[in-house]
Amino acid sequence: MQKETQELVNKGEMLPLMEEFYTIQGEGFHKGTAAYFIRIGGCDVGCHWCDVKESWNADIHPPTEINQIVDNADKYSKTIVITGGEPLTWDMGPLTKKLKDKGMQVHIETSGAYKLTGIWDWICLSPKKIKLPTPEIYEKAHELKVIIYNKNDFKFAEEQAEKVNNNCILYLQPEWSKRDKMMSQIVDYVMQNPKWKVSLQTHKYLNIP
Ligand code: SF4
């Protein structure tokens, strides 16, 4: 990557864009809502069950001017979901400012492992054991979405629920490949611990991106 381009990426004026698409948010509080997804490359959290491993290496995703990303989004939706990868690998300030200037609702899906940057209408915090969130994001998260891969994850979910703010909505979501095995345990757990809600990856059942 050229030095000038790298500098712009470092400032959040360009971002490694993996893909962008208009679809239905399948998960969590806003499930069922039409939204434009912007998937930013780059993540070194390293979840072994990650379903977007091709996002990890930022170098294979083209550095893209944020004005172009905003113009593309503006053609489709006023609800924007920024995901990854781990979007907080980068400074989200410049992109989210431009999206907000267009009157958009801007959501993020993040592990929270890095400094929180950007202006957000909705923060979905999906913490990962191997790289825990920063203290700041627990205070600001609107929803906590813990992925349940095996039964040990219920304990992790409770530890994370202890840390979030009181208004944060709590979700347990089966990891896709383990959904058949874990779903009945999640249902039982939520019935016994009704502060939690079940989140499903409904877009995968609908066979949409
Ligand atoms: S944080 Fe997200 S993108 Fe990164 S490895 Fe984990 S699941 Fe994949």
Side-chain angles (χ1 to χ4, degrees):
M1 193 187 300
Q2 287 186 336
K3 188 162 168 268
E4 301 82 51
T5 303
Q6 184 65 62
E7 281 170 7
L8 289 168
V9 171
N10 292 346
K11 286 195 273 187
E13 300 288 345
M14 295 180 89
L15 291 166
L17 180 64
M18 177 175 165
E19 58 179 347
E20 47 187 346
F21 49 94
Y22 185 43
T23 188
I24 303 293
Q25 168 61 285
E27 306 177 4
F29 184 79
H30 291 284
K31 66 183 170 300
T33 302
Y36 192 75
F37 277 66
I38 298 169
R39 189 183 301 285
I40 308 291
C43 182
D44 69 356
V45 175
C47 307
H48 64 90
W49 43 258
C50 179
D51 60 359
V52 277
K53 288 191 169 118
E54 58 280 23
S55 71
W56 291 4
N57 180 2
D59 293 346
I60 62 173
H61 303 297
T64 306
E65 299 267 2
I66 57 172
N67 283 335
Q68 187 187 323
I69 298 174
V70 174
D71 287 348
N72 292 348
D74 198 27
K75 291 179 197 139
Y76 289 92
S77 183
K78 288 287 181 200
T79 302
I80 310 298
V81 179
I82 298 183
T83 187
E86 173 45 71
L88 295 180
T89 303
W90 315 102
D91 184 353
M92 286 290 120
L95 173 62
T96 55
K97 165 89 171 53
K98 286 184 186 291
L99 292 168
K100 290 305 298 171
D101 287 348
K102 293 266 188 186
M104 294 171 174
Q105 290 287 305
V106 188
H107 304 184
I108 186 172
E109 307 262 341
T110 177
S111 69
Y114 298 105
K115 182 174 183 299
L116 180 62
T117 53
I119 308 160
W120 305 104
D121 296 291
W122 193 264
I123 296 174
C124 173
L125 173 63
S126 186
K128 306 299 183 310
K129 281 180 198 162
I130 48 174
K131 220 174 202 66
L132 290 169
T134 61
E136 178 194 10
I137 202 164
Y138 290 117
E139 281 305 307
K140 302 210 169 137
H142 299 89
E143 76 181 273
L144 174 72
K145 184 173 69 189
V146 181
I147 308 303
I148 302 294
Y149 182 83
N150 61 36
K151 63 180 171 33
N152 298 327
D153 292 327
F154 292 108
K155 182 167 176 288
F156 177 65
E158 291 296 345
E159 289 164 5
Q160 295 300 297
E162 286 284 304
K163 296 185 176 183
V164 293
N165 63 81
N166 291 337
N167 296 322
C168 189
I169 305 168
L170 307 179
Y171 287 104
L172 300 176
Q173 178 174 296
E175 194 278 321
W176 182 248
S177 71
K178 297 288 177 193
R179 64 194 182 282
D180 292 339
K181 184 169 175 218
M182 297 311 300
M183 203 58 232
S184 62
Q185 290 185 54
I186 292 173
V187 168
D188 286 348
Y189 194 88
V190 168
M191 288 167 71
Q192 285 165 28
N193 302 276
K195 70 181 181 189
W196 293 97
K197 297 175 190 292
V198 177
S199 173
L200 296 175
Q201 291 182 296
T202 54
H203 54 295
K204 294 192 179 178
Y205 291 98
L206 294 170
N207 212 14
I208 57 176

